[in-house]
Amino acid sequence: MTRSRTAAVLTVAAALPALLTGCSSGGAARAGGAADAGGGSAGLRASAPAAPAGTGTGTPGTPVRATGPATRDASEGAGRPLRSPARPVRVPAGVTAGYSVVDLTTGKTVAQHLAHHRFRSASVVKILIATDYLERHRGAIPARDRALLTPMLRGSDDDAATALWRRGGQGEIVRRMARRIGLSETSPPPAAKPGFWGYTAISAADIALVYRYLLKRAEPRVRDFVLGNLRQAWRCASDGFDQRFGIPRAVPRPWAIKQGWSGFGSVPPVRCARAKAVSYRIGPVTMGREPVDFGRPVLHTTGVISDRLIMVVLTLQPSGASFTKSAERVTKLARDLYLSVT
């Protein structure tokens, strides 16, 4: 072999490992990206959970785009603006979900999906009932009214809500608050069900506006009373259902929450307090615009996280779904969404 041919062979041999390594790295990167886009494993974990299958309309396999990397620790990022869109958040199959996440440090909505879809409110409307009462009544709150407002906000007490709903003019409460805050998708219950405050129509975008109003525009006495009580939400609601699903189980404190549920019957799967409750079920009802589904169970988690993040997750669960499984789905969705923006 000539000297020139020997040199050429040695040059190729020296370059070959680098070429092979480069090919391997590129293939691994592509495989890893595919796994990230479609991966998932069941169960709630302390670390960032993998995304469940499904979409907001119940069609498996299509991601819903949210924001931010989902691999950071939940406690990271305090005091910094949330990140730009980076990773999809999947909604469980069979679930219709509308959500909105607002970064209060910038005022921007950083994640949303079906944010203008209208759901029945269940107990989320109690925020409007309390805010309306406080803005119509100046001065000290009478003891008898405080005895209604406090358990309504902390324990989602239905009897207290009904009493304040009737005294406030029922649907007029919703109309007043919609005008004051600028809610375009919130409306009172159907004319045939004026006493059913839980049939108020809401959207994730509108409830995010309600929290913005309380934080930025409401008088301090109103803001402090409503959010102060929501920060002290009881684990066990007055009707015996466990309120620690979604935000309070998925994200670190501090938070102020208002939950909502309807369509799961009057007896909780695991009762944590003596309670009485009534479950009302009727079919879809048209309320001026798109129909609002009053038949399928709803489970909502809403609130303010660390005074810098508003999260609203409204869901329609599959017909006949259990409260326990629905709570697991909403908790995982809330956690995935939180990790995606922090």
Side-chain angles (χ1 to χ4, degrees):
M1 182 179 295
T2 66
R3 181 176 298 176
S4 61
R5 292 181 60 186
T6 301
V9 170
L10 292 174
T11 300
V12 171
L16 186 58
L19 292 171
L20 292 174
T21 302
C23 292
S24 176
S25 297
R30 286 191 295 273
D36 287 344
S41 60
L44 297 175
R45 299 179 182 175
S47 59
T55 71
T57 56
T59 305
T62 304
V64 176
R65 184 65 58 182
T67 62
T71 56
R72 297 172 62 199
D73 184 83
S75 62
E76 287 189 42
R80 295 196 297 271
L82 304 180
R83 294 178 180 258
S84 58
R87 171 184 167 139
V89 170
R90 295 176 183 270
V91 175
V95 174
T96 300
Y99 61 71
S100 181
V101 181
V102 177
D103 181 359
L104 289 167
T105 63
T106 64
K108 294 180 179 179
T109 299
V110 293
Q112 61 180 333
H113 172 65
L114 295 182
H116 301 286
H117 185 89
R118 303 171 85 219
F119 296 79
R120 75 183 186 274
S121 68
S123 290
V124 175
V125 73
K126 291 168 183 173
I127 305 175
L128 296 181
I129 296 173
T131 304
D132 177 77
Y133 169 91
L134 293 167
E135 294 193 334
R136 287 186 298 107
H137 295 80
R138 302 287 176 173
I141 303 172
R144 69 186 185 95
D145 291 348
R146 187 180 290 271
L148 296 173
L149 290 162
T150 298
M152 181 183 73
L153 292 171
R154 297 186 189 185
S156 204
D157 190 280
D158 291 344
D159 292 338
T162 298
L164 292 167
W165 177 257
R166 289 171 178 168
R167 285 167 47 185
Q170 300 188 129
E172 287 303 311
I173 294 173
V174 177
R175 294 186 185 94
R176 283 192 295 266
M177 294 308 301
R179 287 193 299 268
R180 180 171 298 128
I181 300 174
L183 309 177
S184 60
E185 289 137 6
T186 299
S187 57
K193 302 285 185 181
F196 285 41
W197 41 260
Y199 286 176
T200 298
I202 61 172
S203 70
D206 271 6
I207 296 304
L209 283 176
V210 172
Y211 281 111
R212 283 202 201 202
Y213 176 82
L214 287 168
L215 287 164
K216 304 293 186 180
R217 295 168 51 197
E219 295 179 29
R221 67 179 186 86
V222 176
R223 177 196 64 217
D224 294 345
F225 186 88
V226 175
L227 294 180
N229 277 289
L230 297 185
R231 288 188 182 97
Q232 300 180 68
W234 303 335
R235 176 186 175 183
C236 300
S238 297
D239 65 0
F241 281 81
D242 190 336
Q243 296 192 100
R244 294 294 169 87
F245 60 84
I247 292 171
R249 188 160 291 175
V251 309
R253 288 181 182 267
W255 35 251
I257 57 163
K258 187 67 204 76
Q259 314 284 66
W261 58 94
S262 175
F264 296 100
S266 60
V267 179
V270 178
R271 185 179 296 275
C272 50
R274 291 182 58 84
K276 57 182 180 179
V278 180
S279 176
Y280 301 101
R281 294 178 63 87
I282 62 176
V285 174
T286 300
M287 300 173 66
R289 289 169 288 178
E290 65 177 296
V292 176
D293 193 322
F294 293 95
R296 285 168 60 186
V298 297
L299 199 66
H300 308 322
T301 185
T302 77
V304 179
I305 302 165
S306 300
D307 289 330
R308 64 180 296 264
L309 184 69
I310 294 170
M311 180 183 291
V312 179
V313 180
L314 310 179
T315 71
L316 271 171
Q317 297 292 319
S319 296
S322 71
F323 181 85
T324 300
K325 290 296 184 183
S326 298
E328 290 175 359
R329 285 189 286 264
V330 170
T331 298
K332 190 172 193 313
L333 177 57
R335 182 164 181 80
D336 287 350
L337 185 56
Y338 178 78
L339 291 173
S340 78
V341 300
T342 56

